[in-house]
Amino acid sequence: MTVLSNSLTCIMLENDVIFFDGVCNLCNGAVQFIIARDPQNRFKFAALQSEFAKNYLSSFRLKVKHGDSFVLLENGKVYEQSAAALRIAKKLGGLWPLLYGLIIVPPFIRNAVYKSIARNRYKWFGKQESCWIPTPELKSRFLA
C-alpha cells in the first residue's frame, strides 16, 4: 500500500500509480496497452499534467523535467524512464514480465534508448491538444 501525503491531503493507495504524458499519443497508447494486460487492476493512472501529479510528484526528486518521462510510483518509491517501464512490464499478464530481464542492462544504456524515443515521441507518434479522456468504465482507474 502506498501512502501519498502533502500538507493538505493524505491518500492511501492499494495500487501502484503510473504517471504519463497525457497529450502524447505514444504514452496514451502505452496506458491503453497496460490496461488491456492488467486484469487484476494493479495500476492507477494520472496524467503528468494533472493536479494530482503536480501535487504528489513535487515531493520527489525526478531525474528528468516534468512531462518527459513515464513515472511509476510503487510502494512509496518513484521509478522513471526504463526502470519504470520494466517494473510495469514485470506486473503485466502474458509473457511481458520476461522483459524485466533487461534490468541487467546498465541504466545508462537502457535510458539512452528511452531518452531517444522520449525526445522524438511527438514527431513519431503525434500529440493531442488535450489529455486523453478514459471511458466511463475506466474512469475509476484514473486519478485527477
Side-chain angles (χ1 to χ4, degrees):
M1 181 179 326
T2 299
V3 178
L4 297 174
S5 63
N6 65 19
S7 60
L8 300 174
T9 312
C10 179
I11 295 177
M12 298 184 80
L13 296 171
E14 303 269 333
N15 305 76
D16 299 332
V17 180
I18 297 172
F19 296 91
F20 64 101
D21 181 351
V23 297
C24 169
N25 287 337
L26 174 62
C27 301
N28 285 313
V31 167
Q32 292 172 38
F33 178 89
I34 293 165
I35 288 170
R37 287 154 185 84
D38 180 26
Q40 296 176 349
N41 296 335
R42 293 180 179 176
F43 298 107
K44 294 279 188 186
F45 302 90
L48 286 164
Q49 295 84 352
S50 70
E51 286 304 313
F52 181 84
K54 289 174 189 168
N55 289 335
Y56 292 102
L57 290 179
S58 65
S59 63
F60 293 96
R61 283 206 165 124
L62 299 179
K63 295 176 188 164
V64 294
K65 65 181 183 178
H66 198 65
D68 281 359
S69 184
F70 221 49
V71 178
L72 172 66
L73 179 61
E74 178 183 61
N75 297 321
K77 186 170 180 188
V78 168
Y79 298 91
E80 298 176 80
Q81 301 176 344
S82 65
L86 292 174
R87 293 184 78 82
I88 291 165
K90 183 175 152 180
K91 294 184 177 184
L92 297 179
L95 297 176
W96 296 105
L98 295 175
L99 288 176
Y100 190 73
L102 293 173
I103 202 77
I104 65 170
V105 175
F108 75 93
I109 295 171
R110 293 190 329 253
N111 288 334
V113 173
Y114 181 96
K115 289 174 189 175
S116 176
I117 294 167
R119 258 192 317 274
N120 293 293
R121 71 189 187 277
Y122 294 147
K123 181 170 54 171
W124 294 344
F125 301 97
K127 180 178 176 180
Q128 299 176 27
E129 292 300 316
S130 61
C131 291
W132 173 63
I133 307 293
T135 63
E137 305 84 50
L138 295 177
K139 194 114 176 130
S140 67
R141 303 216 28 211
F142 287 79
L143 304 168

